[in-house]
Amino acid sequence: MESSELKGGKDSQISDELSELRMESSELKKAKDSPISDESNRRSSFPDEVLERVISLLNSHRDRSSVSLVCKDWYNMERWSRTHIFIGNCYSVSPEIVARRFPKIRSLTLKGKPRFSDFNLVPQNWGADVHAWLVVFAAKYPFLEELRLKRMTISDASLEFLALSFPNFKALSLLSCDGFSTNGLAAIATHCKNLTELDIHENDIDDKGGGWLSCFPESFTSLEVLNFANMTSDINFDALERLISRCKSVRVLKVNRSISLEQLQRLLANAPQLTELGTGSFTQELAQRQYEELESAFNNCKNIHTLSGLWEVKGLYLPALYPVSTHLTFLNLSYAVLQSDELAKLLVHCPQLRRLWVLDTVEDKGLEAVGSNCPLLEELRVFPADPFDEEIVHGVTEAGFVAVSYGCPRLHYVLYFCRQMTNAAVATVVQNCPDFTHFRLCIMTPGQPDYLTNEPMDEAFGAVVKTCTKLQRLSVSGYLTDLTFEYIGTYAKNLETLSVAFAGSSDWGMQCVLGGCPKLRKLEIRDCPFGNAALLSGLEKYESMRSLWMSACNVTMNGCRLLAREMPRLNVEVMKEEGSDDDGRADKVYVYRSIAGQRRDAPSSVLTL
Amino acid sequence: MEGSVAYENDLNLKATELRLGLPGTDEREEQPVRNNKRPLQEADEKCGANGKSDNETAPPAKAQIVGWPPIRSYRKNSFQPKKSESEGPGIYVKVSMDGAPYLRKIDLKVYTGYPELLQALENMFKFTIGEYSEREGYKGSDYVPTYEDKDGDWMLVGDVPWEMFITSCKRLRIMKGSEAKGLGCGV
C-alpha cells in the first residue's frame, strides 16, 4: 500500500496541497478496506508520541506534505499537528475541505489573484474575496491567530468580522490586497486586544484618513510589528508616539511619508530596540541641534538591520544614518531618488549589506559603487524611476549590471529594469555569479534586441539557464525567438516560475518549456505568438502546476474548451474584454488545478469553461 | 484587447509576429529605440513624409501598453521624482475679490507662471482679466489683479518675475471699479 501511494505522489512530492488532498480520499478508502493496515502500523517502529513530537517540529509546508504521503499514520499525525497552512491559490481548495482535514490551524496564508493583477491585467471584481474563508474559520478555528493575505479582496465588514470573531487574533498581514478602507483597520485596532502584528503593505486601500491609528486603546501594549508605509493620510502623531512608547516589544516599525524627520527622532528615542525601520519623509529643514539629535537617536538603535522609506530624501541628511548603516543587511532605497555619488557615499558605510533595492537614478556609476562596497550582497533590485518616459536618457545599462556581478559573487536574486542590454553582458554576469535562484530581467521596450549586435537576446537567457543550475524563477524580456525556450526546456531543470512577455516565434517555444521543465509551477505569458497547439501540449502538465496565465496570445475559445473538457480537474477561466468581438479569441486565459470544482463567485466577465 | 492600441506605435511587435519562414530570417526594417535619445524633430518629418508609425507619430501621449513595464501601481502612485527645485509645503495665499461674499485660498506653487495663475483666478471668480502691458497695466476689464507684498504695499500682479512674485506675495486681491482704475492706468 505504501509504495503505490508514494508512486502516485511522485510528481508532487515537493509541496502541493492538491495531491495531498487527493490522497486523502484514496488513503482513507484503502485504510478502511485493507487488511494490510495492521501490518503497516506494526512496521512503523516509532511509538506514537515520538513520531508526533518529530512531526510537530516540521515547519515547512513542503516537508509536511511529503510526510503526509508516507502512510496513513503519518498522514493523520501530520494533520493533527499542523498549525500553519499555506494556500497558494485560494480557489484550488475550499475552506470546508481545509477545515475537515486540519483541525488545529492557528495561522493561515492565502494567495488569490493571478500575479498579473498587479499590473492591471485582471478586472477589478475578479474575485478572491476572503469572506467565505473567514466565516468557515470563525466556526472551525475560533482560536485562529494569524492571517496573511496576498492579492485577495477583503472588505471593511470582513475586517470587522475578523476582529470580533477571533479573540486570540495576533497577526494581520495584507499585501497587494484591495476592497477595504481605513475603517476596517480601525476595527482591527479597536477590537484585537492581543494584536502583535499589523502589516498593511502596498494595498489598494481607500485611505479615508489616519484616525484608525488612534483606535488602539491606551491599555493596548502587545504590538511588535507595525507597517503602514504605503498609506498616504496623515496620522495623529501623538497617538503613534504614545503607542510606540507603551509597546515595549515593538521591533518592526515602518511609517508613512507624513512622518517628518523630527517626529522620527522622537519615535526612535522611544524604541531603540527596533530591528526594522521604515522612515517617513527624509527631508525637512533641520537645525544643527535637531540633526544631531537625529544622529544620536540612530546611534542608539544598535539592532536595526533593515531600513526602508526615505521618501524625498535629502542627500545632505544621509550621514545621520551612518551609525545604523554598519550593521544593515537590507536597505530599501526604492523610494529614494538618489544620484550615483549620494549612493556611493552611503554604501561606503554598508559593508554588511545582503539585500539592496534602488531606483535607477543611481545609474551605472551607483551600481559600480555597489560592486565596490558590498561584497556580501545576495539580492539586488533596480526599479525604474520613470518607466514610461522613453525620451530621457536615464537609468542603468548593461555596464552597471556587469559591475555589480564583479563585486558581488554571492548574488543570487536580481530584478533589473533597464533600457538596453547585451548577450555578452548577461553571459559575463552569470559567469561571475553562477548561483542565481531568481533572475528577473526587464528590458523595458518590448522585443528589443541586443543593442550592440542587433541579435535576439536568446544567448543571454541561454547562458543564464546553462550556468545557473539552481534557477527557480526566471523573467525574460527583449527580442527572443523560440531558441530561448529551447534553452529553458533543456537546461532549467529546477525552474518553478517563468514569466514571458512579447517573446517567442511559434508554439514550439511554449511546448519546449512545458515539456522540459519538470518542476514548473507557475507560467505566466502575455503578448506571445503561442496558440492552441502550445496550450494543449501541456494538458497533463497543468495538474502538477499551480496555474497558467496566457493573455493576448493566439489561443482561441475552442482551444480552451477542449482543455476544459479533457481535464476536468482544471478550472479553465477566460476573461472577456469589454466590447471585444466574439471572434473566438480567448483574450485572457487562467488555468489552475482545483479540488474545489468550479468557483461560483466569478463575475460576468469571467467565463468558466 | 487593450494591447492593440499599442501596436500602432512602434514597439517592435513585428518581432513576435507569427510568420512563415525560419526564425531569425526576417528582416527587421525598423529599429525602435536603438538610441536612447529620440530626435522628436525627426519623428515629425517622417510622420509627414510617409505616415508610417516608425518613431512616434506625434509628440503627445504615447499609447502605453497596459501593464507594461511590469511595475506595481502603488509604486507608480506613491513615487514622486525630484523634478522641481522647491520642496516642502505649498504657498497658500488668500484671494479676495471686491464684492464677493467670502475669500478663497490658492497654492501659488501649483502654477508655473502668470498666465496660468490669472486663468485660474478667472475660473474661480467667474470674471475676465484684461490684457497686461508693462506700460498700462490691465486694459479692457473692470477687474485688476493685485497683491500685497512683504513690505505691505499693494502691487500690480505681473510686474516682477514669477519666482520673485511667489516668494513675496502675501495675499491677492482682485480690485474692481474706480479703485482699480487708479492702479490700472499705469502710475
Side-chain angles (χ1 to χ4, degrees):
Chain A
M1 177 178 91
E2 288 162 277
S3 57
S4 66
E5 294 309 326
L6 283 174
K7 271 210 207 103
K10 74 162 161 23
D11 54 329
S12 56
Q13 44 184 284
I14 320 147
S15 92
D16 201 350
E17 315 80 47
L18 174 60
S19 63
E20 297 165 33
L21 295 163
R22 262 192 292 164
M23 283 297 152
E24 183 186 84
S25 47
S26 58
E27 277 267 13
L28 290 174
K29 271 191 234 145
K30 289 207 174 157
K32 266 186 255 170
D33 309 333
S34 167
I36 312 175
S37 58
D38 283 346
E39 208 182 289
S40 74
N41 282 345
R42 269 187 273 123
R43 248 185 265 153
S44 171
S45 49
F46 297 118
D48 280 356
E49 302 81 44
V50 175
L51 195 56
E52 210 177 296
R53 180 83 181 111
V54 169
I55 292 180
S56 69
L57 293 173
L58 290 175
N59 286 324
S60 145
H61 66 274
R62 291 187 186 196
D63 287 343
R64 281 180 162 270
S65 297
S66 306
V67 154
S68 68
L69 293 173
V70 169
C71 67
K72 182 180 163 262
D73 275 351
W74 286 44
Y75 175 90
N76 276 320
M77 219 150 285
E78 192 282 310
R79 71 181 260 265
W80 277 91
S81 67
R82 194 184 297 212
T83 56
H84 169 244
I85 184 148
F86 168 85
I87 296 171
N89 175 3
C90 63
Y91 287 120
S92 66
V93 71
S94 75
E96 290 84 4
I97 294 175
V98 171
R100 230 183 1 250
R101 178 172 170 186
F102 299 108
K104 292 218 181 142
I105 296 298
R106 289 206 296 269
S107 164
L108 169 70
T109 302
L110 257 182
K111 294 188 181 182
K113 302 182 199 178
R115 194 178 77 96
F116 279 179
S117 72
D118 283 350
F119 318 126
N120 301 327
L121 288 179
V122 171
Q124 275 290 72
N125 57 347
W126 183 84
D129 193 311
V130 77
H131 198 76
W133 290 81
L134 294 177
V135 168
V136 170
F137 281 21
K140 303 287 187 186
Y141 305 131
F143 39 79
L144 189 75
E145 292 175 5
E146 294 183 6
L147 183 67
R148 298 175 198 284
L149 303 181
K150 186 170 183 180
R151 293 193 199 99
M152 300 281 300
T153 294
I154 181 164
S155 67
D156 286 344
S158 295
L159 282 167
E160 187 165 8
F161 179 77
L162 169 70
L164 295 171
S165 309
F166 303 101
N168 228 22
F169 194 73
K170 295 204 167 93
L172 178 65
S173 166
L174 301 176
L175 174 59
S176 289
C177 295
D178 64 0
F180 65 106
S181 79
T182 40
N183 291 340
L185 298 184
I188 298 285
T190 306
H191 300 294
C192 297
K193 312 256 178 291
N194 296 310
L195 199 71
T196 60
E197 179 177 336
L198 184 59
D199 187 346
I200 310 300
H201 195 44
E202 302 165 8
N203 300 287
D204 188 7
I205 181 177
D206 181 9
D207 196 333
K208 296 185 170 167
W212 61 272
L213 192 119
S214 308
C215 291
F216 285 109
E218 288 300 317
S219 55
F220 171 74
T221 57
S222 49
L223 199 65
E224 296 172 22
V225 173
L226 179 63
N227 176 5
F228 61 98
N230 294 106
M231 292 176 57
T232 46
S233 296
D234 291 2
I235 47 107
N236 181 327
F237 179 71
D238 283 334
L240 176 64
E241 193 175 16
R242 282 199 310 275
L243 178 67
I244 297 304
S245 62
R246 67 176 184 270
C247 295
K248 303 291 179 212
S249 306
V250 165
R251 50 185 169 82
V252 175
L253 178 61
K254 298 182 184 176
V255 300
N256 70 1
R257 62 203 300 187
S258 76
I259 301 296
S260 70
L261 276 179
E262 197 183 337
Q263 291 171 329
L264 179 69
Q265 183 269 322
R266 284 159 64 178
L267 293 173
L268 291 179
N270 272 318
Q273 75 280 6
L274 282 181
T275 59
E276 295 184 29
L277 173 66
T279 74
S281 223
F282 220 76
T283 179
Q284 186 184 352
E285 294 302 324
L286 287 182
Q288 181 62 18
R289 189 186 54 85
Q290 286 171 309
Y291 176 83
E292 281 166 9
E293 278 177 352
L294 180 66
E295 200 175 20
S296 163
F298 275 116
N299 198 31
N300 283 334
C301 295
K302 309 280 186 217
N303 299 315
I304 293 181
H305 56 66
T306 293
L307 186 65
S308 58
L310 296 162
W311 279 282
E312 294 151 356
V313 65
K314 238 180 148 121
L316 193 60
Y317 293 151
L318 285 177
L321 295 173
Y322 291 170
V324 290
S325 311
T326 38
H327 33 86
L328 276 185
T329 56
F330 179 18
L331 180 55
N332 180 354
L333 298 171
S334 61
Y335 292 107
V337 179
L338 288 178
Q339 310 306 313
S340 47
D341 53 339
E342 291 169 318
L343 177 68
K345 265 195 270 185
L346 177 59
L347 287 181
V348 167
H349 300 264
C350 305
Q352 302 288 330
L353 270 188
R354 306 291 197 274
R355 303 172 65 193
L356 176 64
W357 296 14
V358 290
L359 280 173
D360 66 355
T361 52
V362 303
E363 299 185 347
D364 290 336
K365 264 196 96 210
L367 294 182
E368 279 168 34
V370 174
S372 312
N373 290 296
C374 307
L376 301 176
L377 199 71
E378 296 173 15
E379 175 179 329
L380 175 69
R381 302 196 196 198
V382 182
F383 295 93
D386 276 316
F388 306 111
D389 211 332
E390 288 168 34
E391 266 80 50
I392 296 181
V393 182
H394 262 346
V396 294
T397 71
E398 76 282 3
F401 200 9
V402 169
V404 174
S405 73
Y406 275 114
C408 309
R410 299 193 194 184
L411 202 63
H412 68 80
Y413 192 122
V414 73
L415 170 61
Y416 201 83
F417 283 87
C418 57
R419 290 186 171 84
Q420 65 187 51
M421 189 50 62
T422 66
N423 288 309
V426 175
T428 305
V429 166
V430 293
Q431 197 171 31
N432 294 336
C433 306
D435 296 329
F436 274 110
T437 55
H438 297 68
F439 193 94
R440 303 165 63 188
L441 177 62
C442 183
I443 303 167
M444 286 190 274
T445 301
Q448 184 170 306
D450 178 322
Y451 83 102
L452 286 181
T453 65
N454 215 31
E455 283 168 3
M457 295 297 295
D458 296 335
E459 293 307 317
F461 295 104
V464 173
V465 294
K466 283 179 204 168
T467 315
C468 306
T469 52
K470 300 183 217 164
L471 195 71
Q472 291 168 27
R473 180 170 181 185
L474 180 65
S475 300
V476 299
S477 59
Y479 171 42
L480 301 174
T481 71
D482 284 343
L483 184 56
T484 295
F485 303 102
E486 278 181 35
Y487 285 141
I488 294 174
T490 308
Y491 295 101
K493 294 307 177 187
N494 283 314
L495 193 66
E496 297 180 15
T497 304
L498 178 64
S499 306
V500 186
F502 305 102
S505 333
S506 74
D507 285 334
W508 172 239
M510 186 171 162
Q511 285 167 336
C512 286
V513 171
L514 289 170
C517 298
K519 298 196 184 174
L520 195 66
R521 292 190 304 120
K522 286 177 282 185
L523 180 57
E524 42 186 34
I525 300 173
R526 63 166 292 179
D527 295 274
C528 295
F530 304 138
N532 292 336
L535 176 71
L536 295 169
S537 71
L539 222 45
E540 312 206 323
K541 178 90 174 169
Y542 301 132
E543 273 199 6
S544 68
M545 289 169 54
R546 183 186 295 175
S547 64
L548 166 75
W549 168 283
M550 286 180 79
S551 60
C553 296
N554 294 339
V555 170
T556 69
M557 293 297 291
N558 283 334
C560 295
R561 282 191 197 103
L562 188 56
L563 176 62
R565 198 166 57 234
E566 293 296 310
M567 306 296 297
R569 280 192 297 226
L570 296 179
N571 280 354
V572 179
E573 297 183 8
V574 176
M575 280 159 261
K576 292 296 280 174
E577 289 304 304
E578 254 181 50
S580 77
D581 317 324
D582 196 20
D583 61 351
R585 300 270 305 254
D587 303 316
K588 295 174 182 166
V589 182
Y590 184 51
V591 179
Y592 58 92
R593 65 184 176 195
S594 175
I595 56 171
Q598 288 187 7
R599 61 184 178 113
R600 277 157 296 178
D601 62 352
S604 52
S605 56
V606 175
L607 254 59
T608 306
L609 301 178
Chain B
M1 82 194 132
E2 66 275 32
S4 62
V5 180
Y7 283 87
E8 281 141 33
N9 282 352
D10 182 75
L11 288 152
N12 196 27
L13 292 154
K14 254 180 123 50
T16 59
E17 207 183 293
L18 262 184
R19 303 157 62 113
L20 294 177
L22 296 170
T25 58
D26 63 330
E27 241 105 287
R28 300 187 49 228
E29 64 260 277
E30 291 146 344
Q31 304 299 335
V33 200
R34 283 301 314 286
N35 309 314
N36 287 330
K37 287 198 169 74
R38 283 175 162 274
L40 280 178
Q41 314 89 297
E42 219 178 281
D44 283 339
E45 287 165 22
K46 267 195 176 177
C47 170
N50 55 15
K52 226 162 78 146
S53 57
D54 229 355
N55 292 328
E56 294 171 346
T57 50
K62 314 168 249 283
Q64 281 171 19
I65 308 176
V66 173
W68 190 265
I71 314 279
R72 289 159 71 177
S73 31
Y74 79 89
R75 196 171 273 286
K76 283 184 281 187
N77 295 337
S78 52
F79 168 65
Q80 261 173 34
K82 230 196 295 195
K83 285 214 172 104
S84 59
E85 289 312 303
S86 49
E87 294 156 13
I91 302 174
Y92 280 89
V93 297
K94 291 184 190 170
V95 188
S96 61
M97 166 133 143
D98 293 353
Y102 52 83
L103 280 61
R104 303 295 303 270
K105 241 189 177 165
I106 58 170
D107 177 5
L108 292 178
K109 271 199 168 173
V110 161
Y111 310 108
T112 54
Y114 286 119
E116 235 187 308
L117 169 65
L118 295 176
Q119 180 74 59
L121 290 175
E122 286 183 20
N123 291 339
M124 194 180 260
F125 291 98
K126 308 278 182 282
F127 71 106
T128 330
I129 290 172
E131 281 279 282
Y132 173 80
S133 73
E134 205 183 277
R135 216 168 83 76
E136 286 178 313
Y138 290 88
K139 272 185 72 168
S141 163
D142 275 347
Y143 299 92
V144 177
T146 67
Y147 71 101
E148 186 183 1
D149 74 359
K150 282 196 190 139
D151 300 325
D153 298 321
W154 284 94
M155 317 286 294
L156 187 67
V157 170
D159 284 338
V160 303
W162 175 255
E163 292 298 315
M164 191 188 294
F165 164 71
I166 60 174
T167 50
S168 58
C169 169
K170 278 171 48 188
R171 53 191 298 169
L172 282 158
R173 178 179 161 202
I174 299 168
M175 289 190 185
K176 180 183 156 75
S178 51
E179 209 183 344
K181 294 249 168 35
L183 264 182
C185 289
V187 185

